[in-house]
Amino acid sequence: MAERSAFTEQAMQYAPQLYAAAVRMTRNPADAEDLVQETYLKAYRSFHTFEDGSNLRAWLYRILTNTFINSYRSKQRRPDETDLDDIEDLYLYRRIGGLEAALASRSAEDQLMDLFTDDEVKTALERLPDNFRIPVLLADVEGFSYKEIAEIMDTPIGTVMSRLHRGRKAMQRELYEFARARGLIAEDPQDIATTTTGPQG
């Protein structure tokens, strides 16, 4: 069992990271502060259950995530999640061309992410429904493994992988819209045809 003083010192070093994650979860700085305070209160009350030498950061994120899901998520309007199934794989990659020559030394994903501002990526993440935003946040922002995310969310690893896949596809669709608005890519011919001809019937 961890010593309380050592536990407190080690736990507080993660406060900035927890707050940043809480802002992305709640989309509200005041709620994020409350969420982090509640997370630490719960952590201190149950610190005796933490095994010294295990992953303290993941343990704190599990408390943060569960507290958000149980206490805050129910208060928020939840976006419709059904349309995420209809997004094709590699949505963004199929619509932004001309990068082949620049991809020799870097992954396509890294290259594409460079096209977008931090605010655009943050906005795309925040627009995801909670079920998909939290796994993407934990994996792509916080760097947790599938196994760690499954433990944090108390969710089967297969479910985590499925939600990550769908969440990332949805983010690609959002980022494509940003890219088109900024003139990084041409209008989709399908969209132009729909706009110019209008609905048939």
Side-chain angles (χ1 to χ4, degrees):
M1 185 177 74
E3 292 291 333
R4 183 179 291 273
S5 59
F7 173 84
T8 301
E9 183 179 351
Q10 292 171 23
M12 288 308 298
Q13 69 179 310
Y14 297 114
Q17 296 177 41
L18 291 170
Y19 175 72
V23 169
R24 293 187 177 99
M25 289 180 184
T26 64
R27 306 183 181 96
N28 182 292
D31 284 345
E33 289 181 10
D34 291 342
L35 177 56
V36 172
Q37 288 179 5
E38 192 171 347
T39 296
Y40 274 109
L41 182 60
K42 289 181 178 180
Y44 293 145
R45 285 175 175 168
S46 58
F47 92 102
H48 57 280
T49 66
F50 175 72
E51 295 183 13
D52 201 15
S54 58
N55 191 334
L56 175 59
R57 179 171 176 262
W59 189 74
L60 289 170
Y61 270 84
R62 180 171 188 173
I63 297 174
L64 180 82
T65 301
N66 289 336
T67 302
F68 168 71
I69 290 171
N70 295 329
S71 302
Y72 291 85
R73 183 176 166 194
S74 60
K75 301 175 186 176
Q76 300 177 324
R77 185 181 69 81
R78 296 177 62 190
D80 184 16
E81 300 173 6
T82 56
D83 63 344
L84 293 191
D85 285 326
D86 299 329
I87 305 172
E88 65 183 277
D89 286 341
L90 302 176
Y91 187 97
L92 192 62
Y93 302 90
R94 294 184 191 282
R95 285 166 170 72
I96 300 182
L99 294 178
E100 291 80 5
L103 298 180
S105 60
R106 304 180 63 205
S107 73
E109 184 175 3
D110 286 344
Q111 184 71 33
L112 284 169
M113 285 302 114
D114 284 348
L115 295 174
F116 304 103
T117 66
D118 290 343
D119 284 345
E120 286 170 339
V121 175
K122 178 183 175 184
T123 299
L125 175 62
E126 288 178 347
R127 287 179 179 173
L128 295 179
D130 292 335
N131 280 355
F132 305 101
R133 188 171 81 254
I134 293 175
V136 172
L137 166 65
L138 294 174
D140 296 343
V141 179
E142 304 300 338
F144 287 109
S145 67
Y146 293 154
K147 181 175 182 292
E148 289 171 328
I149 296 169
E151 292 171 354
I152 288 170
M153 299 188 67
D154 195 21
T155 303
I157 194 167
T159 302
V160 168
M161 294 172 70
S162 172
R163 289 178 180 175
L164 268 172
H165 179 66
R166 293 169 66 191
R168 285 167 174 164
K169 284 198 297 180
M171 277 194 69
Q172 287 181 19
R173 182 173 65 178
E174 292 287 346
L175 290 171
Y176 167 71
E177 295 302 328
F178 285 130
R180 190 169 64 174
R182 284 169 50 197
L184 295 175
I185 53 176
E187 288 286 330
D188 191 317
Q190 231 178 359
D191 295 338
I192 295 174
T194 302
T195 304
T196 55
T197 61
Q200 301 298 313

